[in-house]
Amino acid sequence: MKARPDSVRRTRDLLRAAVLRGDFVDGILPCERELVGSYSVSRGIVREVLTLLRNEGLIARTQGVGTHVVAPTAHRRPDDVQGTAALKSGDLRNGRFRLTSFESTVISAPGAASRALEVPTGTPCLRVDYAAGTTNGDVDVAATNYVLFPEAQRLIDTPFVVDWYGYLSSAGVEIGGSDFTVSAVLSDETLASVLRTTEGAPLLLLEQTVRDMSGRIFNYVIAHARPDRLRVVSHSVRGAATFDRTSVPERGERPNRIQ
């Protein structure tokens, strides 16, 4: 009996990882019998694990249909998340996300934003608030950007179509680099409403400064993202080690999935 909690935890962790990786074709999980055989655990443990994942909001169980993933997770590489990767046709930024709210206003940069932008408090900037999600109606991220001029003027004259980096690119703004911090916070009532989650749910807090080609900071970002909608994938090698790059999925591609 003492081993049961550990068996539940290990099985939950493995199955959760498979769900978040996008391992299952069309988002349909195997039946309980197959999961029992695949994970070498009892049917009771499988049912407990599926209940835990359902309570997390990752899966849903429908009578007569089976168990399926509620929403796909966006797979992003660090350079993709930070905006330093070149846009590629067919990647996650092209057509697979949709804007759910957008507002832009020219304001005087408030204290914390001005310090992050390394300009005097009160310097004119463009504040852009937006929320965006996948095309199936989910909302993945809510962000507030503070953008200095002259880049701000280019954004004012450019429609926001898909995501932030696509917006900058469409406006002719090049990114030279960025600094990125990720931490965890709990959702408040406002964020829960915007991100369509529950109050008190864990969120990723993303704070970023974006630099131009000369190294000048022109964009400061505070964003909140649902951790069940974002999976950052990183690959690295040590020294002169080599590996088969064909085994690493490109941006926007799923890893090899279970057939």
Side-chain angles (χ1 to χ4, degrees):
M1 293 297 293
K2 290 184 178 180
R4 181 178 171 85
D6 285 339
S7 295
V8 171
R9 172 182 55 80
R10 286 191 292 264
T11 306
R12 178 208 59 199
D13 292 347
L14 288 169
L15 190 54
R16 181 202 281 139
V19 168
L20 293 175
R21 274 198 309 267
D23 282 358
F24 304 110
V25 172
D26 298 325
I28 304 298
L29 274 66
C31 67
E32 289 183 2
R33 178 178 53 80
E34 292 178 84
L35 291 173
V36 166
S38 178
Y39 290 92
S40 300
V41 294
S42 69
R43 185 177 291 264
I45 287 177
V46 164
R47 288 178 175 173
E48 190 169 343
V49 165
L50 292 175
T51 297
L52 290 172
L53 296 183
R54 183 183 60 192
N55 291 342
E56 289 182 23
L58 293 179
I59 63 172
R61 310 194 71 188
T62 305
Q63 186 72 29
V65 176
T67 304
H68 60 89
V69 178
V70 170
T73 301
H75 292 231
R76 308 293 292 272
R77 293 185 180 181
D79 59 347
D80 225 357
V81 175
Q82 293 189 248
T84 52
L87 283 171
K88 292 178 59 179
S89 176
D91 75 12
L92 281 176
R93 304 184 212 157
N94 293 322
R96 296 177 65 179
F97 286 85
R98 69 181 184 90
L99 201 62
T100 58
S101 66
F102 177 82
E103 180 184 350
S104 64
T105 310
V106 176
I107 65 168
S108 298
S114 62
R115 286 190 291 275
L117 291 165
E118 300 180 351
V119 296
T121 298
T123 298
C125 71
L126 181 68
R127 184 184 64 206
V128 181
D129 285 296
Y130 74 90
T134 50
T135 54
N136 65 1
D138 295 299
V139 180
D140 303 328
V141 62
T144 300
N145 287 264
Y146 300 88
V147 186
L148 295 176
F149 288 83
E151 289 84 359
Q153 187 59 56
R154 298 177 194 168
L155 296 183
I156 291 172
D157 297 332
T158 302
F160 192 120
V161 178
V162 181
D163 87 347
W164 185 253
Y165 300 127
Y167 186 29
L168 294 177
S169 178
S170 296
V173 177
E174 282 192 275
I175 295 176
S178 74
D179 302 295
F180 206 82
T181 302
V182 182
S183 53
V185 296
L186 298 180
S187 175
D188 58 22
E189 183 179 359
T190 301
L191 284 169
S193 175
V194 173
L195 294 172
R196 300 174 189 173
T197 185
T198 57
E199 187 173 353
L203 299 175
L204 296 177
L205 172 61
L206 314 174
E207 186 177 6
Q208 180 183 20
T209 51
V210 184
R211 301 174 182 271
D212 65 14
M213 300 302 288
S214 71
R216 161 185 160 269
I217 296 173
F218 70 90
N219 183 194
Y220 173 57
V221 189
I222 295 177
H224 294 86
R226 289 183 53 164
D228 57 333
R229 298 289 186 263
L230 176 65
R231 181 179 175 89
V232 179
V233 182
S234 177
H235 304 277
S236 64
V237 295
R238 185 174 184 178
T242 60
F243 64 101
D244 181 7
R245 291 291 304 180
T246 61
S247 66
V248 179
E250 291 295 322
R251 285 184 298 277
E253 293 181 346
R254 295 287 188 184
N256 291 332
R257 299 184 297 172
I258 296 173
Q259 301 299 319

